[in-house]
Amino acid sequence: MFNSYISRFLPETNLYPYERVLVGLAITLTAVAGALLVIHSAYFSSFTALLLRSLFFSLLAGCGLFLLAVKQRYFAVRIIFYVLALLALIPGPYLYQNYISIIRMGAIARETDVQLFVVTIFVALVLARYYLGWTMVGLALVALSYALFGYLIPGDYGHAGYGLDRLTSNLFLRTEGLFSMPMGVASEYILLFSLLGGLLLRSGLGKVFVDIAHALTGTVQGGPGLTAVISSTMFSSINGSAVAGVVTTGTFTIPLMKRTGYRPKVAAAIEAAASSAGQIMPPVMGAAAFLMAEMTQIPYATIAAAAAIPAFLYVFALLVSVRLEAGKFNLERSNPADVPSIWVVLSKQGYMLLPLVALVSFLIYGFTPAKAAVLCILATLVLSLWKKETRISLLDFMEVCVITVRNVMPIVAAVAIAGVLIGVLTLTGLALQISSMILSIGGESMLAVLLLTMVASFILGMGMPTSAAYLLLAILVAPALERFGLPILAGHMFIFYYGLLSAITPPVAVAAYAGASIAGSEPNETAFEAIRLGFVSVIAPFMFVYAPELLLIGSPVQIVIATCGAFAAVFALGTAFTGWIGRPLDFVERVALVLGAIALIGPFGALQTDLLSLGAKAIGLALVTFIIWKAVHSNDTRLPSVSS
């Protein structure tokens, strides 16, 4: 039985039989121990910050290195990873055992502390190399070199230099480095909510999402595309990964879209853009909401509420574009016999949504997000017993723990490196100088600073998991926006959106490329289609920076006016980019729709209710309404070719 269990997460490799059993056991024990540690701490608050974060890192780093070891071809190389995994398991228990003496000595490093610090840094660098690539490794090495040899740098950017003992005290024995706030968020929220998502999906919730979306939209023209948007958004919000959303729901939705006439690149692009939407959709937002709450010290509930309007704008734009795409090419409708009834789906499977309802209810009632997640995990395990096909056994639970740890390893590696960056930036005072450099280049122009920040966010976010990308940007880039006077929430949302954009934008575009591999389309063409469909992610950050009412900052009247204008503008832009609404639109009409959209979301200002702003919105609304009315009531029934 144990061999069959191991085969679930450890496919056939060149491991020796005894090696396979031992490694499978080690992976399971470390993953389950890490999950139980987080669950216990979340409910009982039984560990201090340093102990929880160090134990968490040791267990997950050990598990992550064991998972890396089994991928190595040669036994000698695997041995190196096994030894490194065992070494990774030491720092957490060591700090737990010596915690009192460390406090008594004022966190002054001893020789053993320095040795373990070097080991831990090396472990973090190896994890970053294999789970994130060389970029984060390079950043960490530059930061450590700067801390050690900063005395060699002349001028304002140099410093006196710090030895290994000082770095050990700050980065290892205190909560200012490796075990700083980012590691705290990973240990308190990210693994916990990822585990909840894994259990929900194991119980069959992913299929429920698809069935509900298919029941709601299946008989509409373009229904499979609309199904993909709704189901992938819901799935990815819980799962926490745009790529995982594509490869999971996309295996069903992409072939379905192709069968009803969607071009392969468009089908893949819809799935990629929709899976990216889950990362910005509250309440979970791919776990980034919890990171943002800690980084900004703004309550989680406030962030989740503020993220709602931009997220719904994004999804609304996708739905509009998908529906117009279907009308533009006169795509077939799904066979009504293949579309389930929404009432049948809810009556048979609706009970599986109860954990999500409970999660929102617990948060509204006042439970902490961590405790609410623990209660929802328990609710999921209990509800799964209702039917045999949804039942989660002990082996299933252990497998979900392993898969969850494997999925969050990139984030664990990222927060470890981010901790190093935070520690060095704080110790040397470099953080303020980086912000000053951005501000000096941008000058007094907010637009210039925003454009610089946009480019930096896009580059630093390439290929990174959503949470990891946001974390890096919050450390390096966000302070510049805050010093320029932007509301802290608007600044952090700005970098969050542009850090996410690389998932559908070449040259990386991991979500779009994943969709292209399923659809059999050209990857870069798919990525450009995804950008066209997900255009809101490009313009929304500027919208809510200049109109913070979209983040619920302002009076109710201002929020309503800004929101209505934004939705109308998004509809106009989606129509202009598709080039069809009832009939093909000519160039002049498309330009007019774009100009109307600009008028609807500007001129930007602190107040959305002054006469100039209201007048511009009225003109924009009138222009958009006229173009759409004229097109819809036209007798022109021309259709473009499918290849266009």
Side-chain angles (χ1 to χ4, degrees), residues 93-280:
Y94 171 81
L95 292 176
Y96 182 87
Q97 184 68 30
N98 297 276
Y99 183 63
I100 300 301
S101 63
I102 290 171
I103 292 177
R104 287 175 177 170
M105 294 186 64
I108 297 175
R110 296 167 292 187
E111 184 177 352
T112 305
D113 301 329
V114 174
Q115 293 169 350
L116 276 178
F117 168 67
V118 173
V119 169
T120 308
I121 287 291
F122 185 71
V123 165
L125 292 174
V126 171
L127 291 174
R129 159 64 185 88
Y130 283 92
Y131 285 105
L132 296 171
W134 285 108
T135 302
M136 292 295 278
V137 176
L139 285 172
L141 291 176
V142 168
L144 291 169
S145 299
Y146 178 74
L148 291 168
F149 307 112
Y151 62 89
L152 298 176
I153 300 175
D156 295 337
Y157 293 99
H159 59 83
Y162 300 94
L164 268 178
D165 54 344
R166 181 66 183 277
L167 287 181
T168 301
S169 295
N170 278 68
L171 303 186
F172 185 66
L173 300 180
R174 300 172 183 167
T175 55
E176 300 173 5
L178 277 162
F179 309 124
S180 60
M181 180 274 299
M183 189 67 71
V185 175
S187 61
E188 294 170 28
Y189 300 115
I190 293 178
L191 179 66
L192 194 61
F193 276 85
S194 297
L195 179 63
L196 172 61
L199 292 172
L200 287 170
L201 297 174
R202 175 52 59 92
S203 70
L205 186 62
K207 184 177 182 303
V208 177
F209 283 158
V210 174
D211 288 346
I212 290 175
H214 193 39
L216 291 173
T217 63
T219 58
V220 178
Q221 188 178 39
L226 302 176
T227 298
V229 173
I230 296 171
S231 61
S232 297
T233 298
M234 293 189 291
F235 179 92
S236 296
S237 177
I238 295 173
N239 180 271
S241 169
V243 178
V246 171
V247 299
T248 303
T249 59
T251 55
F252 170 79
T253 59
I254 290 175
L256 185 61
M257 284 187 278
K258 290 174 65 178
R259 282 201 301 271
T260 54
Y262 281 98
R263 294 168 292 169
K265 65 179 181 180
V266 174
I270 291 171
E271 181 59 46
S275 293
S276 297
Q279 308 299 288
I280 59 176

Side-chain angles (χ1 to χ4, degrees), residues 475-498:
I475 296 168
L476 297 178
V477 179
L481 297 180
E482 294 170 27
R483 291 181 63 188
F484 203 87
L486 256 65
I488 185 170
L489 182 56
H492 280 255
M493 281 289 187
F494 185 90
I495 61 171
F496 173 56
Y497 266 67
Y498 281 119

Side-chain angles (χ1 to χ4, degrees), residues 445-523:
S445 170
M446 177 183 285
L447 179 61
V449 171
L450 289 174
L451 290 173
L452 285 170
T453 304
M454 177 189 72
V455 173
S457 300
F458 175 74
I459 293 173
L460 292 174
M462 283 185 181
M464 297 274 284
T466 305
S467 300
Y470 164 71
L471 186 60
L472 180 63
L473 296 167
I475 296 168
L476 297 178
V477 179
L481 297 180
E482 294 170 27
R483 291 181 63 188
F484 203 87
L486 256 65
I488 185 170
L489 182 56
H492 280 255
M493 281 289 187
F494 185 90
I495 61 171
F496 173 56
Y497 266 67
Y498 281 119
L500 171 67
L501 188 60
S502 65
I504 58 173
T505 309
V508 181
V510 286
Y513 293 169
S517 67
I518 298 173
S521 58
E522 203 283 320

Side-chain angles (χ1 to χ4, degrees), residues 82 90 110 169 215 230 244 250 290 319 333 355 395 414 444 461 481 490-491 495 520 538 542 610 613 621 644:
Y82 294 149
I90 296 175
R110 296 167 292 187
S169 295
I230 296 171
F290 307 112
L319 293 172
R333 301 172 189 265
L395 290 181
E444 297 298 321
L481 297 180
I495 61 171
V538 180
F542 284 93
D610 57 31
S613 179
L621 182 61
S644 67

Side-chain angles (χ1 to χ4, degrees), residues 401-451:
C401 288
V402 173
I403 294 173
T404 300
V405 170
R406 185 176 64 196
N407 290 341
V408 302
M409 278 312 304
I411 297 176
V412 173
V415 296
I417 300 301
V420 173
L421 296 177
I422 288 174
V424 170
L425 290 173
T426 303
L427 187 64
T428 62
L430 185 61
L432 293 177
Q433 293 172 322
I434 292 177
S435 300
S436 298
M437 182 170 60
I438 294 176
L439 292 174
S440 65
I441 296 174
E444 297 298 321
S445 170
M446 177 183 285
L447 179 61
V449 171
L450 289 174
L451 290 173

Side-chain angles (χ1 to χ4, degrees), residues 457-600:
S457 300
F458 175 74
I459 293 173
L460 292 174
M462 283 185 181
M464 297 274 284
T466 305
S467 300
Y470 164 71
L471 186 60
L472 180 63
L473 296 167
I475 296 168
L476 297 178
V477 179
L481 297 180
E482 294 170 27
R483 291 181 63 188
F484 203 87
L486 256 65
I488 185 170
L489 182 56
H492 280 255
M493 281 289 187
F494 185 90
I495 61 171
F496 173 56
Y497 266 67
Y498 281 119
L500 171 67
L501 188 60
S502 65
I504 58 173
T505 309
V508 181
V510 286
Y513 293 169
S517 67
I518 298 173
S521 58
E522 203 283 320
N524 284 325
E525 289 183 2
T526 301
F528 285 117
E529 285 292 326
I531 296 170
R532 177 178 69 83
L533 295 169
F535 67 89
V536 169
S537 61
V538 180
I539 64 172
F542 284 93
M543 289 169 63
F544 55 63
V545 162
Y546 284 102
E549 293 84 0
L550 295 176
L551 298 177
L552 304 184
I553 301 174
S555 70
V557 173
Q558 293 170 348
I559 292 170
V560 169
I561 292 175
T563 301
C564 292
F567 273 91
V570 162
F571 181 83
L573 288 173
T575 304
F577 294 156
T578 305
W580 186 94
I581 183 167
R583 65 164 174 80
L585 299 176
D586 59 35
F587 177 76
V588 174
E589 290 171 325
R590 296 171 78 167
V591 171
L593 285 174
V594 172
L595 293 175
I598 293 173
L600 281 166

